[in-house]
Amino acid sequence: TVLYSHYGPGYVVLMIACTPLPIIPILIAFSESKALQIQSAKEQCIEIWNTVCCRAVWQPLGFLYIYNLLQVQNSAWRQYLSTVLDFTAEELNSLLVASYIFLFIGTMAYKKYFLKTSWRRVYQFCILTNGLLTCTQLLLIKGKTFGLSNFWFSLGDDAAQEFISGVQFLPGSIMIVNLCPPGSEGASYALFTTAWNVAMILATSVSSM
């Protein structure tokens, strides 16, 4: 929004178009094995169907679907920050950037500190912590920010929530990768992650009703 308001849409479009260009030399250096035996589409569909019918697959997938479906977010929160608390576009963008940074930090934290921890403990910790952090939005609404400005209080709240999201992201991804049958990993992973993403979209739709 800041770049759009200061430089116009042409500059933003040009920047988006040119940003991926430095990656092209790296892609050329990738080695790819071409002597692979690829299954036909029919064979892959049959294998994926047999995999999904297995209880060891659909049960964890069902858990991931229900878990993400119940991650109901406050879709009107950004609008509240803008209209009621008078957050500027720059402040809202800063919240978004900080959220993505802490999402990455949370992912790295799981890899470094929680990789050998039980997934039950990880999800229990994330659910409880996320519930407590969500309640801090009520403090911001009531103006009880412990001496901090609304922006910094909201920044800490958003960053902590995205950190928790990063911690709980990797267990689900590892679970999905291990469920993919050999020979059709790409199609299986796309199917399983589609169920994950559909649940998150439905949760967002429910929260905005």
Side-chain angles (χ1 to χ4, degrees):
T1 305
V2 176
L3 294 175
Y4 186 87
S5 60
H6 283 79
Y7 300 101
Y11 177 83
V12 175
V13 172
L14 181 63
M15 183 184 68
I16 295 174
C18 295
T19 301
L21 294 180
I23 305 177
I24 294 179
I26 302 176
L27 296 177
I28 297 175
F30 279 175
S31 61
E32 183 179 0
S33 178
K34 299 181 179 180
L36 297 176
Q37 184 178 1
I38 302 176
Q39 295 178 335
S40 65
K42 182 179 179 180
E43 291 174 339
Q44 291 190 36
C45 290
I46 294 174
E47 187 169 7
I48 292 173
W49 174 251
N50 292 332
T51 301
V52 173
C53 291
C54 180
R55 181 179 179 181
V57 174
W58 65 256
Q59 193 169 21
L61 276 181
F63 164 76
L64 288 177
Y65 181 86
I66 296 174
Y67 182 81
N68 286 294
L69 182 62
L70 296 178
Q71 300 296 305
V72 180
Q73 301 178 356
N74 189 356
S75 298
W77 183 244
R78 297 290 177 185
Q79 186 67 24
Y80 177 83
L81 295 178
S82 176
T83 57
V84 178
L85 299 182
D86 297 324
F87 276 36
T88 63
E90 288 81 2
E91 289 175 332
L92 293 175
N93 286 337
S94 299
L95 293 178
L96 186 62
V97 172
S99 298
Y100 286 144
I101 292 174
F102 275 86
L103 178 66
F104 175 76
I105 293 175
T107 305
M108 293 297 101
Y110 175 83
K111 181 179 179 181
K112 185 172 180 61
Y113 300 107
F114 305 110
L115 190 60
K116 296 183 179 180
T117 306
S118 169
W119 286 356
R120 290 186 178 90
R121 293 287 181 264
V122 172
Y123 277 106
Q124 289 169 358
F125 167 77
C126 291
I127 291 172
L128 293 175
T129 308
N130 194 33
L132 293 174
L133 292 173
T134 303
C135 293
T136 58
Q137 293 180 351
L138 298 176
L139 296 176
L140 184 59
I141 293 174
K142 295 181 178 296
K144 299 179 180 180
T145 58
F146 306 104
L148 299 173
S149 65
N150 291 335
F151 170 73
W152 286 108
F153 187 86
S154 180
L155 179 65
D157 178 50
D158 285 10
Q161 287 190 16
E162 290 300 323
F163 176 83
I164 297 301
S165 298
V167 171
Q168 69 184 14
F169 171 76
L170 268 188
S173 299
I174 295 173
M175 187 186 304
I176 289 177
V177 169
N178 288 321
L179 294 177
C180 296
S184 55
E185 294 89 347
S188 301
Y189 186 82
L191 177 65
F192 298 158
T193 53
T194 297
W196 179 326
N197 294 330
V198 167
M200 296 180 66
I201 293 172
L202 284 176
T204 305
S205 300
V206 170
S207 67
S208 60
M209 292 177 63

